[in-house]
Amino acid sequence: MGGAGEHYVIIGNGVAGNRAAEVLRDGDPEARVTIVSDESQPFYYRHLLRDLVTGAVGEDRLGVRPLSWWSDRRIRLRLGQRVQRIDFGAKTIYLAHREKLGYTRLVVCAGSKPRVPETLWASRAHLTVMKTIEDARALRDRFGDVRHVLIAGGDMVSVRTAAAFLLAGRKVTFLVDRDAFWPIEPGPEQRAELAAALRSRGAEVIEDDAVVAVEPVGDARVVALKSGRTVRCDVAGAFFGLVPDIDFLAGSGLDLERGVLVDEHLRTSVEGVWAAGDCAQVYNPDLRNWWVSVGWGNAERLGEVAARNVLGDAVRATGPAESVLRCDGVVVATRWWVDLP
Amino acid sequence: MRSDAAPTGMVVRICGAAGDGNIAAGQVLNRAVTRMGFRVMNFDSYPAEIRGFGKSVAHTRFEVERVWTPGDGCDCLVALDDAHSISETARLRDGAIVIYDDRPPDWHEEDRSVAGFVVPGMHGYGVPLRDLSTLATKGTKARNLVAMGALAGLVRLPADPFREAIRGQFGSKSEEIREGNVRAFDLGWRHATERLKKRDRFDFGLAAPVVERVGKAEILSGNEAAARGCLDAGLLMYAGYPITPATKILEVLAKKLPKAGGVVVQTEDEISAIAHAVGAGWAGTRAATATSGPGLSLMVEMLNLAVMAEVPVVVIDSQRGGPSTGLPTRTEQSDFRLAAHGASGDSPRPVLAPADVAECHALTFKAFEVADAFQTPVLVLLDFFLSNRIEDVSGLAEAAARFGTYAEKRATAGEGGYRRYALTDDGVSPRAVPGTEGLFHPATGLEHDERGFPSYDGPNHVRMSDKRHRKMAALAARWPEPEAVGAEGPLDLGVVSWGSTIGAATEAMRALAARGLAVAGVFPRLIWPVQERPLRALSERSRVLAVVEMNHGGQYADEVERVVGRRVLRVARIGADPIGAAEIAEALVGARKEPGDSTAETAETAETAERNGTGGGQEHGT
Ligand SMILES: Cc1cc2nc3c(=O)[nH]c(=O)nc-3n(C[C@H](O)[C@H](O)[C@H](O)COP(=O)(O)OP(=O)(O)OC[C@H]3O[C@@H](n4cnc5c(N)ncnc54)[C@H](O)[C@@H]3O)c2cc1C
């Protein structure tokens, strides 16, 4: 196994995919290693996107490593190339620009996408999400004209984003969605503390209400709430957490549920295919159940585990122990989320 | 991401298999951006053999300011054929655009899709070129124009000049084809503006630049301009034998000269072609032929006859890679020695070398005047690059005037004992065309006396040889001397170049001046006889004197060294592509002497570079 005839393909240029590629290259110097991602931007820090929007940092600050890192390691980056479908029988990936790509072993690190509650699907086009650098660029380019932002949700990203926007002098209305406090698990007291912290910075915090529809009026948005109230703002942001981005795998033969189902060694239901990072739903033999994680550090760890197993190890992926995180001065419990510089 | 500074131009390469319509798309692009007011240079490349096989590329550079070279690198690759386009990605500059068909009829095998080679720093845009073409025209042929629409929409160039250009380009086709092509362009435009997420920095803001010009701009290739120069000069007899890269001159004249009352003969070979032209020239008709190196080799004997018998005739040589049949579709400037000196005996004749398309017209036009005024064959040296590149030109007639005017010395009848080759101060004898009553005279390739009768007398041969050389000296004295361009006073670098390489040398000089070097150049158009004063003056001011040209080792450099009496830095290379400005700048700056070094060391630097084949630009190429 391994060597010149081997072609490891990794779908996803996030932290999981890059860690996997690094481990595969180190463990198998002769093999071909290819990373495919539909994003055109080389590996970057997602947590800095809020600062990119406000102008606090430039794009040059986002990159995790220089391009020479990949070329030095002979890892081929296929960026801006979307995987449309996979023929696992023929070990062939079909790229959206209509190129076939063969692999011998495949690691799926397709990550996550913003969750938009079903009730808001009709308004989807008028909601702003922030997952990719493209999302952030689009918002940055009009941020000068933005005075008032409504943030609906309450995930980790939303709290930090609200703080950044307030610092940038924007009016922020924060609409708390109870279910969206994820992956942190604040109790009622901590939720109140978080709300108080946001208020103290100048945000209007609305609790016990929900968005039912968003309508565009010119460049502005009118957000209708369950209570009957409407909020007129320049940006209506949806921050309801992240969910595995696996639609392209539907019908491929891979076992899927919320994410790509993998055993504790991150093997999928298909021979020669592993999954890691935000997209994976990992079996825990002790709990006899599967877990999904969203978080940088955990994705990185899973990427490494998957790669080591691809190389022939039998490493078990264990869920991280519960830890705490300071969020806006409030200490909250979290399993996956880590503080990034 | 957008940069603050609006772009001033770009280099576009449209790549496909021959037959994909890339050249036609390039022509539309040239016309459109010329209409907008940009300055343009287009230089296509296609397979050496007859078209229909292999890769072909339309290369266009447009800029707000005068364009001297096709540009180093590429800002936009339009891929009409994936397999051929893949190698093109190596030329792309950081931030470049790649437009490709993301709905090809069949899935590409691995590494057969250009999209797979779009690396970070480039921006790939998938456009369903074939699908949109089919929507517009019921066929996939118009995908080249869909791509032009996508390009224009993406970089926000105004659409109307493109539509006009398409209508102009396909003016002879049916309205259905013409309008179908416009629809194809429009669909590409709409796709780009409505569907593509723009990430690159090229945004012309739908505005055309403001450019001042003399007269109306038109786009011509060097060969077309040379043919036009022939027509404007009153050419009446053209004989030619087809040869790449000169064939187009024959093609244009075959169409146009008969309408102007002239005659075109396609002869059985080059010897016959020049024999026709010399005969016509002898008879008093403005006559010309055009060829390339292999043909010029065959023409040497007839050229000698024209020198000896003092017959005006114009010979255009579009140089290509040699020797022998060499590299028909590759550019080179390696015929200088053949043109200026290639002959048996001492056979002086002028050689002119235009620097750009407008000068292809001007100098061809002037060649006829010089030929008549000095009763001599005149060679005009084009090359593959100059013959085939397309530029926007305007005010052609005005441009020719700056090379002076030359009147003919005609003999008047009645004196008796007509001395056709009378010895005069400038060597030019009053000329009568054969058959003029009272002025009958023999004309021969044998050495002759003043009346034209064969003479093997030694002193006569000396006098006649002197006379023929005096004509050259007279021409060198009357032709406007090239002015030094660039910095004044003492120079870090003096640059000499000729022909199509002047453009790249000029751009390289600008780049070096921007880096703080004192640089100036002298760029002769009359390359033989050599006007020595400007070269010496430049040499005296220059720490390093460089000669830039495209041949092996520096043919013109020999000439310059002879004149200035010191070693020069030879930036000379051959190879597939025209020498680029960046390459020249690197070679020049690499050899630049640090302040404080002695002049002797400078000479040595050049010498060592030459000997070792390092520095001096010599290592590039072949
Ligand atoms: C705004 C924001 C801030 C965050 N801040 C923090 C933080 O402070 N701390 C923390 O621990 N975590 C943070 N996270 C979460 C963290 O970034 C993710 O957990 C982590 O990026 C997951 O890495 P991954 O490699 O699994 O997937 P991802 O980073 O999502 O990368 C997956 C890649 O695969 C690509 N892909 C998906 N499908 C396809 C396909 N079909 N074809 C080709 N490519 C495909 C995606 O486009 C993506 O580029 C944040 C996330 C966001 C969005």
Side-chain angles (χ1 to χ4, degrees):
Chain A
M1 191 203 76
E6 199 78 56
H7 186 196
Y8 304 116
V9 174
I10 297 135
I11 300 174
N13 186 35
V15 64
N18 276 292
R19 181 68 189 129
E22 186 178 7
V23 171
L24 288 169
R25 169 50 76 226
D26 287 349
D28 192 349
E30 298 303 316
R32 286 167 67 200
V33 180
T34 301
I35 293 178
V36 188
S37 175
D38 57 353
E39 285 192 81
S40 301
Q41 186 75 11
F43 185 25
Y44 62 95
Y45 289 115
R46 297 186 191 277
H47 71 286
L48 291 178
L49 292 179
R50 56 175 186 257
D51 296 328
L52 185 69
V53 171
T54 63
V57 304
E59 291 197 4
D60 50 322
R61 277 281 310 282
L62 260 60
V64 177
R65 37 179 82 129
L67 281 174
S68 56
W69 190 91
W70 291 274
S71 52
D72 289 350
R73 284 167 181 72
R74 290 170 296 110
I75 296 172
R76 167 126 178 229
L77 282 181
R78 282 179 170 267
L79 302 190
Q81 304 183 27
R82 180 162 182 78
V83 175
Q84 196 170 67
R85 66 186 171 89
I86 305 170
D87 179 343
F88 292 111
K91 295 203 166 190
T92 300
I93 292 168
Y94 287 79
L95 299 168
H97 61 266
R98 300 217 174 175
E99 179 180 358
K100 294 192 255 182
L101 176 64
Y103 66 85
T104 54
R105 280 146 207 273
L106 178 67
V107 189
V108 180
C109 301
S112 49
K113 62 180 180 187
R115 180 176 79 91
V116 176
E118 225 166 305
T119 50
L120 290 178
W121 284 2
S123 305
R124 176 72 184 77
H126 314 305
L127 287 164
T128 296
V129 296
M130 205 165 63
K131 165 70 205 295
T132 66
I133 194 166
E134 288 288 351
D135 299 333
R137 281 174 185 150
L139 187 50
R140 174 196 62 190
D141 289 349
R142 52 183 285 251
F143 202 62
D145 298 326
V146 169
R147 298 274 144 259
H148 181 190
V149 183
L150 178 127
I151 291 182
D155 66 4
M156 279 300 289
V157 179
S158 67
V159 179
R160 296 255 157 95
T161 303
F165 287 5
L166 285 165
L167 199 67
R170 302 306 191 273
K171 180 177 172 189
V172 172
T173 300
F174 200 103
L175 186 85
V176 180
D177 182 299
R178 249 165 226 272
D179 299 333
F181 273 105
W182 181 84
I184 51 171
E185 296 152 19
E189 266 171 43
Q190 287 163 321
R191 263 213 301 279
E193 273 184 65
L194 277 173
L198 279 170
R199 278 196 186 101
S200 73
R201 290 173 183 238
E204 179 197 4
V205 180
I206 305 174
E207 290 171 281
D208 303 320
D209 209 341
V211 178
V212 288
V214 182
E215 288 294 333
V217 179
D219 282 342
R221 300 282 180 273
V222 174
V223 182
L225 304 183
K226 205 170 165 188
S227 60
R229 192 184 150 183
T230 58
V231 179
R232 195 190 159 96
C233 55
D234 301 309
V235 172
F239 292 85
F240 299 95
L242 299 165
V243 291
D245 185 4
I246 54 167
D247 292 350
F248 73 103
L249 295 168
S252 66
L254 214 56
D255 283 350
L256 309 173
E257 204 199 66
R258 280 165 60 199
V260 179
L261 292 176
V262 288
D263 66 12
E264 69 269 37
H265 299 111
L266 305 186
R267 278 190 306 230
T268 68
S269 58
V270 172
E271 180 69 31
V273 183
W274 288 257
D278 283 6
C279 73
Q281 193 175 345
V282 187
Y283 187 68
N284 182 330
D286 303 329
L287 301 177
R288 298 194 178 188
N289 205 348
W290 281 267
W291 49 273
V292 175
S293 63
V294 172
W296 189 274
N298 195 53
E300 186 169 27
R301 211 164 32 245
L302 293 183
E304 178 176 333
V305 168
R308 285 175 58 188
N309 291 338
V310 169
L311 291 168
D313 262 0
V315 189
R316 249 185 80 173
T318 48
E322 186 158 316
S323 66
V324 292
L325 193 69
R326 286 188 86 75
C327 184
D328 219 354
V330 182
V331 176
V332 290
T334 173
R335 273 184 194 282
W336 329 111
W337 210 257
V338 291
D339 249 335
L340 291 165
Chain B
M1 183 181 33
R2 286 221 216 135
S3 79
D4 296 339
T8 57
M10 64 194 305
V11 176
V12 178
R13 285 174 72 82
I14 306 165
C15 176
D20 279 343
N22 12 320
I23 305 295
Q27 284 165 353
V28 166
L29 176 63
N30 296 336
R31 280 175 190 247
V33 292
T34 302
R35 268 166 210 270
M36 290 170 210
F38 285 100
R39 308 302 308 271
V40 182
M41 184 180 296
N42 160 266
F43 180 52
D44 300 336
S45 62
Y46 42 87
E49 315 313 330
I50 305 303
R51 294 196 199 193
F53 304 100
K55 163 177 169 176
S56 90
V57 182
H59 177 118
T60 293
R61 177 182 181 192
F62 59 92
E63 280 289 341
V64 175
E65 295 202 337
R66 172 79 163 87
V67 181
W68 274 107
T69 68
D72 301 302
C74 173
D75 300 309
C76 175
L77 170 63
V78 176
L80 295 179
D81 176 280
D82 279 72
H84 286 308
S85 299
I86 287 167
S87 59
E88 286 289 312
T89 56
R91 305 173 76 111
L92 293 172
R93 278 198 278 249
D94 203 37
I97 295 169
V98 182
I99 294 172
Y100 58 88
D101 194 339
D102 62 353
R103 285 281 163 273
D106 300 310
W107 286 79
H108 296 290
E109 291 303 323
E110 187 172 339
D111 286 340
R112 288 282 180 277
S113 162
V114 72
F117 290 84
V118 174
V119 297
M122 302 179 192
H123 304 283
Y125 296 103
V127 180
L129 301 178
R130 286 178 182 78
D131 291 1
L132 293 179
S133 169
T134 306
L135 206 60
T137 65
K138 299 192 173 69
T140 58
K141 261 188 97 124
R143 65 185 188 281
N144 58 344
L145 297 170
V146 176
M148 286 304 95
L151 168 63
L154 201 55
V155 304
R156 304 216 309 146
L157 285 167
D160 274 341
F162 278 94
R163 296 188 186 111
E164 288 163 27
I166 293 168
R167 293 193 174 106
Q169 173 110 350
F170 299 96
S172 61
K173 304 272 174 168
S174 70
E175 178 164 345
E176 193 184 329
I177 292 179
R178 213 165 45 237
E179 292 310 309
N181 283 335
V182 172
R183 272 198 305 279
F185 171 88
D186 285 343
L187 288 179
W189 167 279
R190 263 187 31 209
H191 184 89
T193 48
E194 292 171 12
R195 298 278 186 90
L196 296 181
K197 201 178 266 178
K198 186 173 170 64
R199 297 179 301 265
D200 61 85
R201 68 186 172 84
F202 293 97
D203 184 349
F204 292 92
L206 300 176
V210 182
V211 177
E212 285 189 21
R213 287 183 203 272
V214 190
K216 191 173 169 290
E218 50 185 333
I219 41 182
L220 290 179
S221 70
N223 277 345
E224 287 165 338
R228 179 88 72 84
C230 290
L231 292 165
D232 290 350
L235 173 81
L236 284 177
M237 202 287 163
Y238 181 89
Y241 182 78
I243 184 168
T244 303
T247 306
K248 185 82 187 175
I249 299 173
L250 171 62
E251 286 172 4
V252 172
L253 291 174
K255 258 191 222 156
K256 298 203 170 154
L257 189 53
K259 288 183 196 152
V263 176
V264 172
V265 185
Q266 181 179 327
T267 54
E268 66 273 29
D269 62 23
E270 286 90 345
I271 297 175
S272 175
I274 192 169
H276 275 74
V278 171
W282 180 60
T285 299
R286 284 199 160 168
T289 185
T291 187
S292 186
L296 188 64
S297 305
L298 295 176
M299 291 181 178
V300 166
E301 172 52 17
M302 275 289 147
L303 269 177
N304 264 353
L305 172 62
V307 169
M308 192 59 138
E310 303 199 35
V311 175
V313 64
V314 170
V315 178
I316 300 168
D317 170 23
S318 178
Q319 304 161 91
R320 64 192 212 183
S324 188
T325 36
L327 298 86
T329 57
R330 297 291 177 239
T331 203
E332 215 162 278
Q333 295 176 301
S334 46
D335 291 355
F336 168 73
R337 281 193 195 118
L338 172 62
H341 306 299
S344 58
D346 297 307
S347 182
R349 65 265 173 154
V351 183
L352 303 176
D356 60 20
V357 168
E359 289 184 11
C360 287
H361 174 272
L363 292 183
T364 306
F365 181 92
K366 280 295 146 190
F368 287 95
E369 271 184 30
V370 169
D372 280 346
F374 295 90
Q375 301 169 27
T376 176
V378 176
L379 284 108
V380 183
L381 283 191
L382 274 51
D383 56 44
F384 181 86
F385 172 40
L386 198 46
S387 280
N388 286 294
R389 83 191 205 194
I390 290 167
E391 288 180 62
D392 64 304
V393 293
S394 52
L396 287 179
E398 291 86 344
R402 72 185 162 104
F403 297 110
T405 45
Y406 307 90
E408 219 182 323
K409 252 191 223 176
R410 284 279 181 154
T412 42
E415 288 165 22
Y418 172 52
R419 289 179 303 141
R420 166 69 188 88
Y421 301 103
L423 296 170
T424 59
D425 286 350
D426 63 0
V428 182
S429 326
R431 175 179 171 229
V433 296
T436 310
E437 189 64 41
L439 299 174
F440 295 156
H441 62 276
T444 172
L446 294 171
E447 184 61 287
H448 41 261
D449 63 17
E450 289 186 77
R451 300 182 57 195
F453 291 105
S455 164
Y456 307 145
D457 174 49
N460 176 71
H461 179 44
V462 174
R463 280 195 299 277
M464 282 297 162
S465 285
D466 284 349
K467 164 192 179 355
R468 289 188 288 268
H469 281 89
R470 267 205 312 283
K471 291 197 294 182
M472 298 302 109
L475 169 61
R478 282 174 57 191
W479 186 271
E481 280 187 355
E483 282 172 25
V485 291
E488 303 194 339
L491 302 171
D492 297 312
L493 263 170
V495 180
V496 176
S497 186
W498 63 279
S500 68
T501 309
I502 291 174
T506 303
E507 281 194 0
M509 273 175 42
R510 281 198 199 138
L512 295 178
R515 288 200 227 165
L517 265 73
V519 202
V522 166
F523 304 125
R525 269 56 170 197
L526 173 66
I527 56 170
W528 211 93
V530 179
Q531 293 175 297
E532 302 190 352
R533 203 203 56 83
L535 293 178
R536 288 211 190 91
L538 181 73
S539 174
E540 279 158 20
R541 289 202 286 144
S542 306
R543 282 181 174 163
V544 175
L545 184 67
V547 180
V548 183
E549 57 193 318
M550 280 202 70
N551 49 52
H552 193 273
Q555 297 188 7
Y556 201 65
D558 289 344
E559 212 70 45
V560 177
E561 281 189 351
R562 173 183 65 75
V563 170
V564 302
R566 67 187 261 206
R567 301 305 300 261
V568 300
L569 173 71
R570 291 158 187 256
V571 181
R573 76 131 167 90
I574 49 178
D577 292 324
I579 193 164
E583 182 182 348
I584 295 173
E586 277 326 299
L588 292 179
V589 87
R592 180 181 62 106
K593 190 172 68 77
E594 291 310 318
D597 294 354
S598 78
T599 324
E601 278 172 306
T602 307
E604 221 169 72
T605 313
E607 209 175 324
T608 321
E610 189 199 344
R611 239 191 345 260
N612 300 341
T614 58
Q618 290 234 34
E619 75 280 21
H620 307 281
T622 69

